[in-house]
Amino acid sequence: MEKIVILTGAGISAESGLGTFRDEGGLWAQHRIEDVATPEGFARNPALVHGFYNARRMQAGGAHPNAAHTALARLQRDWPGEVVIVTQNVDNLHETGGATRVIHMHGTLSGALCASCEHRWTAPAEMSVGEPCPACRAATARPDIVWFGEMPYHMDQIYDHLAQAGIFAAIGTSGQVYPAAAFVHEAIAAGAQTVELNLEPSVGASSFDQTLLGPATQIVPRWVDDLLGRR
Ligand code: APR
């Protein structure tokens, strides 16, 4: 049975109350990327960056998985082949929605990273400037988030999954950030059927065999039901 590889973006968590980046009033309308999502911004003003992620960590902590997250968990459980979720999101709603195979290519709000020794640990609810690393004690703790200009995580593993994909779905992403925006081309090269599920067509919509439009909580469960019914 085909392997299914699913890429998700901020749109899948929108109906759980978490803001997206590029929609009207999104996170990048409220904050400058260069100030809160680059290593240079963190070096310049770590308190501002910690404040930005502390607020997002707090908000994500109070959010609940929605019908789209739980539908993907059901697909992982009931599909006879492998189902891998590659997410650009840093919330844990796939996991709290029951998903098991989740790869966070942009890191997670729950992670902390030492900029000196690369030790990783579970971030406290509020991270602060000068927080000592539990391993090397250097005051270089940062959120374990992949910032612009940094290499996304687990790329070799992700490309391996894409090379074996029989079905590739992109859900809730505007397709404006690479390398994720090019995953559909890797899947096409692997001979996969490709489908985009989004509130509106992404910039890369024309690359997909099929586009399903609407709120994720409506179109994702329907898509999963069709797939499972089709077996
Ligand atoms: N249901 C489905 N799709 C939705 C919904 C919804 N309820 N609400 C919004 N969307 C769609 C929007 O139409 C948009 O295409 O989700 C997409 C969100 O796009 P972005 O805000 O650009 O988020 P994303 O694609 O995840 O951004 C990718 O950019 O800034 C970086 O690291 C950040 O991981 C992020 C990456």
Side-chain angles (χ1 to χ4, degrees):
M1 185 54 80
E2 300 108 319
K3 176 171 188 169
I4 302 177
V5 179
I6 299 165
L7 169 69
T8 63
I12 200 169
S13 298
E15 291 163 270
S16 295
L18 299 186
T20 60
F21 294 94
R22 296 173 181 84
D23 288 322
E24 186 77 26
L27 283 168
W28 297 149
Q30 304 163 43
H31 305 271
R32 284 163 25 103
I33 287 178
E34 52 273 34
D35 289 343
V36 296
T38 62
E40 297 77 13
F42 184 66
R44 200 168 41 244
N45 187 345
L48 179 73
V49 176
H50 279 310
F52 175 65
Y53 288 100
N54 288 345
R56 290 184 65 197
R57 193 175 297 110
M58 179 85 69
Q59 204 198 16
H64 302 286
N66 62 51
H69 296 109
T70 52
L72 294 188
R74 179 157 56 87
L75 183 62
Q76 283 191 320
R77 198 185 55 235
D78 298 344
W79 182 256
E82 200 183 349
V83 180
V84 179
I85 298 170
V86 179
T87 188
Q88 300 173 94
N89 299 340
V90 293
D91 63 56
N92 65 349
L93 295 178
H94 282 301
E95 292 85 348
T96 51
T100 49
R101 301 287 310 278
V102 183
I103 299 173
H104 284 270
M105 63 182 288
H106 288 167
T108 58
L109 285 168
S110 58
L113 167 68
C114 176
S116 304
C117 73
E118 299 206 340
H119 176 65
R120 284 181 166 80
W121 67 100
T122 301
E126 300 247 324
M127 290 190 79
S128 52
V129 181
E131 190 152 326
C133 163
C136 74
R137 309 305 305 162
T140 49
R142 56 168 275 188
D144 190 10
I145 300 280
V146 177
W147 285 328
F148 285 88
E150 295 184 323
M151 194 60 193
Y153 293 154
H154 314 300
M155 289 310 296
D156 292 345
Q157 193 186 359
I158 292 169
Y159 285 123
D160 285 350
H161 288 308
L162 289 167
Q164 301 156 22
I167 296 171
F168 173 76
I171 303 176
T173 180
S174 63
Q176 297 189 49
V177 173
Y178 286 80
F183 287 175
V184 61
H185 302 299
E186 300 293 330
I188 290 167
Q193 280 177 342
T194 59
V195 55
E196 176 177 85
L197 297 91
N198 213 53
L199 195 59
E200 60 204 9
S202 75
V203 296
S206 59
S207 305
F208 289 81
D209 298 321
Q210 191 188 10
T211 297
L212 303 175
L213 296 179
T217 55
Q218 291 172 27
I219 60 176
V220 176
R222 208 173 302 150
W223 176 66
V224 168
D225 289 343
D226 289 347
L227 275 176
L228 293 176
R230 189 184 87 186
R231 265 194 309 159

